[in-house]
Amino acid sequence: KLTLDEAVIDNFLDFFWCRLESGLWRTIDCFSLQTSGALDLLKNSRKTLDLGCGDGCFWFLAGGGKFHPKFDFLFQATENLAEFYRGKDVFDDSLGKEIPIIKRSKVQFYRGFDIKSTLLSKADMLGVYRKLIQGDANNNEFVEAEIYDYIFSNIIYWLDDLPKIFAGIHKSLSDGGKFVFFMPVDRFLECRPF
């Protein structure tokens, strides 16, 4: 059974060492997934889609994956820090090298979907996705490519036309399929999982 234990919490805090509030936020996301039973859905479902998978690190860490301590996934972006001040997304960059992994994630998605090829190349190195697909969720490019039992997304609030997106998600779900999404709420600080 996938559970949130101290090792997962430590992995998020190690990963977000320079942004501990982000590490705690993502840990609370994991706790919510565990208590709702959503983490178990990943273990028991064959057809899952991560809509807006990005670099895959969230699900890698949520599933108990661990990077080598000398490897700093976030620090890689500081190599391009000068570009940040010119408006470049410094995390939208391929690493160009293998990611040293100590422990693989227990989470396995059938498909991952994202707009950025560089983030998909990073996600591919983590082994969390059986197949990665590049496309624009705003254009519902994931719709009808396949039918999924579960669709997970933590980018839904970034998308432009939510009624259109929700209609696309509905079309992409099997009978009885579920959509699990993250939304920032003003009651965030009321959640105290530790």
Side-chain angles (χ1 to χ4, degrees), residues 7-175:
V8 172
I9 296 168
D10 288 345
N11 288 346
F12 271 102
L13 294 179
D14 287 347
F15 182 76
F16 288 104
W17 67 272
C18 65
R19 296 291 310 266
L20 293 178
E21 74 283 2
S22 295
L24 290 173
W25 178 7
R26 302 319 311 230
T27 301
I28 290 170
D29 286 343
C30 283
F31 180 78
S32 299
L33 288 166
Q34 178 190 0
T35 56
S36 70
L39 276 177
D40 289 332
L41 298 177
L42 287 171
K43 187 174 76 170
N44 298 319
S45 177
R46 294 185 323 263
K47 303 265 299 222
T48 51
L49 171 67
D50 184 2
L51 180 60
C53 65
D55 60 19
C57 285
F58 173 76
W59 288 109
F60 176 81
L61 295 168
K66 183 162 182 66
F67 298 112
H68 190 281
K70 291 183 180 180
F71 179 72
D72 189 337
F73 203 84
L74 292 177
F75 192 65
Q76 303 297 318
T78 62
E79 294 174 4
N80 301 321
L81 199 53
E83 297 296 315
F84 171 78
Y85 296 107
R86 289 182 222 137
K88 181 180 183 215
D89 179 355
V90 294
F91 293 101
D92 184 19
D93 190 24
S94 69
L95 293 174
K97 55 188 164 203
E98 190 172 320
I99 299 172
I101 295 171
I102 290 178
K103 182 181 176 187
R104 291 276 171 198
S105 177
K106 294 177 187 173
V107 167
Q108 178 79 84
F109 274 90
Y110 181 66
R111 300 287 183 257
F113 182 94
D114 203 89
I115 195 168
K116 294 182 177 182
S117 62
T118 51
L119 295 180
L120 290 171
S121 71
K122 291 177 188 178
D124 193 39
M125 293 184 216
L126 299 179
V128 175
Y129 305 96
R130 291 186 193 157
K131 181 178 177 183
L132 292 159
I133 303 165
Q134 184 177 0
D136 187 349
N138 274 311
N139 295 329
N140 273 346
E141 292 177 9
F142 60 92
V143 176
E144 298 176 10
E146 297 193 49
I147 301 298
Y148 301 99
D149 297 327
Y150 295 95
I151 297 175
F152 292 81
S153 182
N154 69 353
I155 63 150
I156 202 75
Y157 57 94
W158 289 107
L159 301 177
D160 297 330
D161 185 352
L162 289 182
K164 173 182 151 187
I165 301 302
F166 284 130
I169 288 168
H170 181 74
K171 279 183 174 179
S172 300
L173 285 170
S174 62
D175 289 340

